[in-house]
Amino acid sequence: MGHDRKALRTTAVGVASATLIAGGVLGAAPAAQAAGNGVRFVDISGEGGTVLKANVVTPAGADGSRTYPLLVLPTSWGLPQVEYFAQAQKLADSGYVVLSYNVRGFWQSGGEIEVAGPPDIADARKVIDWALANTPADARKVGMAGVSYGAGISLLTAAQDKRVKAVAALSGWADLIDSIYSGRTQHVQASALLDGASLVTGRQSAELREIFDNFYASDLSKEQDMINWGKKRSAATYVDQLNSNGAAVMMANAWGDSIFPPNQYADFYEKLTGPKRLEFRPGDHATAELTGLLGLPNDVWTDTERWFDHYLRGEDNGIDREQPVQLKSRSSGGYEGYPDWKSVGATTRKLDLSGTTTIHTNVDSGADGGIVFLSSILDQLAQLPPVASIPLLPRAWAAVWQSGKYPTAQQVRGTAKLHTTVTPTKESGTLVAYLYDVGPLGLGKLVSNAPYTFHGQTPGKPFGVDLELYSTAYDVPAGHRLALVVDTVDPLYIEHNPSGARLTFSSPANDPSYVSIPLREQ
């Protein structure tokens, strides 16, 4: 297993390198276009004197006679400061001072990677200080935005700094542990990608290297340390402060985000009490925003500008009167609006998981969540999610339950929830649940999945399992079935099944097993 993880990290370095080279080439055109239009490249002194490489784009004709709203854009994990040039130019043309900076530990900025730790938040506050002192920025109208890493830093800064009045957090996280360690299971492909990118483009701190190594090694003695480390870097920990500060928060993400799954964003959104907006679209991590970073028309960036126009510039553009939860199904083209997250799956239908089924562990049944990035991008562009032949799945290694054929289309919206009883033969184990849309020939298209790991259970003693699958929006055609499949191995995750272990799934009369399917109200 150690050799496989090393190979994963090596692959991640290669993928990251190619992506970053492409990003640098694509970023050159917007940079050249902006060079004659109020762009300055500056060094900003961050926390502890760390040099942060930054660029500032000011509105054409800015002569010091008036001030403009300020937007601060921290870069994404592993990307250089040219990342936001195209959007910065558009925003400056609309009347904003836009300051983008390379976060500490990456590219030419100094310091080491702190993963949105306290030094990163202190850096962001010092960047705001610098902008207010050295640009025609209005101290009463400060906003922050970013993709991925920049999104997380923006949310955390808004919780710490009352000057931040509006945030657009795109493809980010609110709960870091629930993102890469959901169900107490390591999301190894996602973590290896982050690890590889930071090795290529930055300088890992000793603390970060230790976190990664303990993560890969499944060192349970270090589990609580990792959880505490992650909580310190999660906006969910500071939601009360963020609410007290009153910043207007827009969050956008993709259904298939392999690094920051949608559930943790939706949970955080429900806890916000100020002006807020939540958007979900098909795709994977940061793919929904990508065309906007290249200067092309893009819904996410259009809504981002509208959000700032209203909450920083006071424009009556109607965004505050729209339904605040906006979803785009993976199966259809239009947007759907909802008053809140709980209204997304207004009704539920249970699929009973009856009978008793025993499966062996340590063998991949063929039901998988796909490959990080590739699978969700194929789903986004061609509606081709991971597939499995449900009749051919080996029942020795996969438990399978199916619904009857649905006479009408079923619009799955929100978070499917599994409840079952498991009896293990060992004290530890991992299971992965998959929800499939099964066509007439038995071919299943993946609707959602999620892993679950347990430790410290008594062999032979049943215990209850409650597992939320990743939130989604997917239309099951009329005449199709839904199937729940459970196995124990998936390349996306590290599994914890001792050799020779078996898992038995049962449905006691006093506590029946089921999967609850959230459906759009018809």
Side-chain angles (χ1 to χ4, degrees), residues 23 38 55 73 89 95 102 119 154 164 178 193 211 240 258 306 339 375 458 482 490 520:
N55 59 77
L73 311 179
Q89 182 64 40
N102 241 124
S154 295
V164 180
D178 196 40
L193 187 66
I211 289 289
D240 290 342
S258 2
R306 293 175 63 224
S375 296
T458 303
L482 280 171
D490 190 305
R520 183 184 183 189

Side-chain angles (χ1 to χ4, degrees), residues 77-157:
W77 184 271
L79 291 186
Q81 60 168 305
V82 298
E83 176 185 8
Y84 299 116
F85 255 139
Q87 285 302 319
Q89 182 64 40
K90 288 184 176 183
L91 289 164
D93 289 344
S94 296
Y96 293 91
V97 173
V98 187
L99 191 157
S100 176
Y101 71 98
N102 241 124
V103 292
R104 67 168 53 221
F106 284 104
W107 293 85
Q108 290 85 17
S109 285
E112 296 177 327
I113 301 169
E114 298 287 345
V115 195
D120 287 305
I121 310 311
D123 285 347
R125 301 184 71 173
K126 286 184 177 293
V127 167
I128 295 172
D129 292 340
W130 186 94
L132 295 179
N134 294 277
T135 74
D138 188 337
R140 301 165 300 171
K141 300 176 181 179
V142 177
M144 290 190 68
V147 176
S148 185
Y149 197 35
I153 290 174
S154 295
L155 282 174
L156 286 160
T157 304

Side-chain angles (χ1 to χ4, degrees), residues 30-235:
Q33 176 187 1
N37 201 358
V39 177
R40 284 190 293 154
F41 292 87
V42 299
D43 290 350
I44 298 176
S45 181
E47 180 69 5
T50 297
V51 174
L52 305 174
K53 296 293 184 176
N55 59 77
V56 184
V57 187
T58 53
D63 58 6
S65 62
R66 56 165 292 191
T67 58
Y68 302 87
L70 169 67
L71 294 180
V72 174
L73 311 179
T75 52
S76 301
W77 184 271
L79 291 186
Q81 60 168 305
V82 298
E83 176 185 8
Y84 299 116
F85 255 139
Q87 285 302 319
Q89 182 64 40
K90 288 184 176 183
L91 289 164
D93 289 344
S94 296
Y96 293 91
V97 173
V98 187
L99 191 157
S100 176
Y101 71 98
N102 241 124
V103 292
R104 67 168 53 221
F106 284 104
W107 293 85
Q108 290 85 17
S109 285
E112 296 177 327
I113 301 169
E114 298 287 345
V115 195
D120 287 305
I121 310 311
D123 285 347
R125 301 184 71 173
K126 286 184 177 293
V127 167
I128 295 172
D129 292 340
W130 186 94
L132 295 179
N134 294 277
T135 74
D138 188 337
R140 301 165 300 171
K141 300 176 181 179
V142 177
M144 290 190 68
V147 176
S148 185
Y149 197 35
I153 290 174
S154 295
L155 282 174
L156 286 160
T157 304
Q160 302 290 330
D161 195 323
K162 292 182 179 181
R163 294 176 298 180
V164 180
K165 303 301 183 184
V167 172
L170 315 178
S171 290
W173 78 93
D175 188 325
L176 189 56
I177 295 301
D178 196 40
S179 296
I180 62 172
Y181 193 57
S182 69
R184 212 177 174 185
T185 309
Q186 298 99 319
H187 298 204
V188 67
Q189 285 191 18
S191 299
L193 187 66
L194 293 172
D195 188 4
S198 64
L199 289 171
V200 170
T201 65
R203 297 167 299 283
Q204 293 183 354
S205 66
E207 180 185 39
L208 176 57
R209 185 67 259 158
E210 183 179 5
I211 289 289
F212 273 127
D213 289 344
N214 291 338
F215 184 89
Y216 296 132
S218 305
D219 188 346
L220 285 179
S221 69
K222 301 294 186 180
E223 182 183 39
Q224 192 58 50
D225 291 341
M226 180 185 70
I227 291 172
N228 294 340
W229 175 87
K231 284 184 176 179
K232 186 184 294 184
R233 292 160 168 80
S234 298

Side-chain angles (χ1 to χ4, degrees), residues 374-386:
L374 177 62
S375 296
S376 291
I377 292 174
L378 284 174
D379 187 35
Q380 176 185 5
L381 299 178
Q383 295 184 11
L384 291 175

